[in-house]
């Protein structure tokens, strides 16, 4: 059971999703406009947010950016379009996952539960150190050779997942399943985009990798270069 905040301007869809999620045992709040939702989310601190992108007063991605400046709440974006560019745009803005419309209350419930499980699954092992990289899993901070590295949420999740399996090849399928909680498929560019952001922040390139080694068509291996 979780407290879920739905942001959806279509009243019929909003009520359908709210009643499906309540039926699944969640506590549901809902709003139809971006500004009211932003205030509501800040006030009620829900466990998770479901965000429709097409809102009357503000683009959902702009709302997501504003929300990210004040809150780390997990956000699942409901998008009508299953295209790479759109998905990269919402992930870049700080979404934790997405669900393509139309979807059922049951599907949404399953997606929310998977995401919440991942958020809660950080164990007692809090510090991962590989070479010059230090990852604090609880504080969600990263330092490289003693200098702080600012990562977005997915870059952090990706790095933490790879660093926990240092020396092992992690497949793209596994990264989709474990980091994005999405089945492997259409949004193939997502991993490449995040890897390239991560590489840049770690001061390396695909041509001259230190920590992040890509095995074409197979996956990624995190290596201790020291
Ligand atoms: Ca809408």
């Amino acid at each position: 059971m979780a407290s879920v905040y739905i942001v959806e301007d279509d009243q019929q869809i909003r009520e359908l999703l709210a009643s499906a999620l309540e039926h699944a045992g969640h506590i549901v709040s809902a709003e139809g406009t971006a500004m009211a939702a932003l205030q509501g989310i800040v006030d009620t601190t829900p466990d998770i947010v479901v965000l429709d992108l097409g809102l009357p007063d503000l683009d959902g991605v702009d709302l997501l950016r504003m929300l990210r400046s004040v809150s780390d709440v997990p956000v699942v974006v409901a998008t009508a379009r299953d295209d790479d560019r759109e998905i990269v745009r919402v992930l870049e803005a700080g979404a934790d996952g997405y669900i393509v419309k139309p979807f059922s209350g049951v599907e949404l419930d399953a997606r929310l539960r998977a995401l919440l499980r991942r958020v809660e699954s950080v164990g007692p092992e809090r510090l991962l150190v590989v070479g010059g990289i230090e990852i604090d899993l609880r504080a969600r901070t990263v330092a490289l050779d003693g200098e702080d590295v600012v990562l977005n949420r997915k870059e952090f999740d990706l790095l933490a997942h790879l660093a926990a399996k240092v020396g092992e090849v992690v497949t793209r399928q596994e990264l989709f399943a474990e980091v994005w909680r999405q089945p492997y498929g259409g949004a193939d560019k997502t991993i490449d985009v995040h890897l390239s952001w991560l590489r840049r922040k770690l001061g390396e390139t695909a041509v001259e990798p230190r920590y992040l080694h890509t095995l074409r068509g197979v996956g990624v291996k995190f290596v201790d270069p020291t």
Side-chain angles (χ1 to χ4, degrees), residues 59-82:
D59 181 66
V61 171
D62 293 328
L63 171 60
L64 182 54
R65 290 206 183 91
M66 292 166 76
L67 184 61
R68 276 288 164 260
S69 66
V70 292
S71 167
D72 262 345
V73 64
V75 174
V76 174
V77 164
T79 169
R81 293 190 297 155
D82 187 9

Side-chain angles (χ1 to χ4, degrees), residues 128-135 142-145 159 163 202 211 222:
L128 267 174
V129 181
V130 180
I133 295 184
E134 212 176 279
I135 305 167
V142 174
L144 172 63
D145 302 327
L159 177 64
L202 296 180
Y211 291 94
F222 196 80

Side-chain angles (χ1 to χ4, degrees), residues 45-129:
T45 61
D47 295 324
I48 195 158
V49 172
V50 181
L51 173 63
D52 174 41
L53 289 186
L55 296 169
D57 54 335
L58 200 65
D59 181 66
V61 171
D62 293 328
L63 171 60
L64 182 54
R65 290 206 183 91
M66 292 166 76
L67 184 61
R68 276 288 164 260
S69 66
V70 292
S71 167
D72 262 345
V73 64
V75 174
V76 174
V77 164
T79 169
R81 293 190 297 155
D82 187 9
D83 74 77
D84 287 0
R85 238 183 12 194
E86 178 76 355
I87 288 161
V88 167
R89 195 170 80 101
V90 302
L91 294 172
E92 195 177 9
D96 298 271
Y98 62 92
I99 186 163
V100 177
K101 288 180 166 184
F103 52 83
S104 68
V106 173
E107 285 174 273
L108 179 59
D109 176 47
R111 184 61 55 82
L112 297 184
R113 283 176 196 273
L115 188 55
L116 286 167
R117 264 199 306 279
R118 180 170 60 72
V119 170
E120 287 158 6
S121 68
V122 176
E125 186 81 57
R126 55 173 287 166
L127 205 60
L128 267 174
V129 181

Side-chain angles (χ1 to χ4, degrees), residues 151-195:
L151 301 181
N152 73 30
R153 295 165 60 80
K154 274 292 172 262
E155 289 161 1
F156 181 89
D157 291 343
L158 180 60
L159 177 64
H161 190 86
L162 292 170
K165 299 193 163 185
V166 62
E168 280 178 46
V169 177
V170 180
T171 65
R172 302 172 73 84
Q173 284 89 339
E174 176 177 332
L175 290 174
F176 264 109
E178 298 297 323
V179 179
W180 276 271
R181 295 282 165 190
Q182 307 278 352
Y184 184 64
D188 192 33
K189 296 256 188 323
T190 305
I191 288 177
D192 297 321
V193 167
H194 282 83
L195 273 176

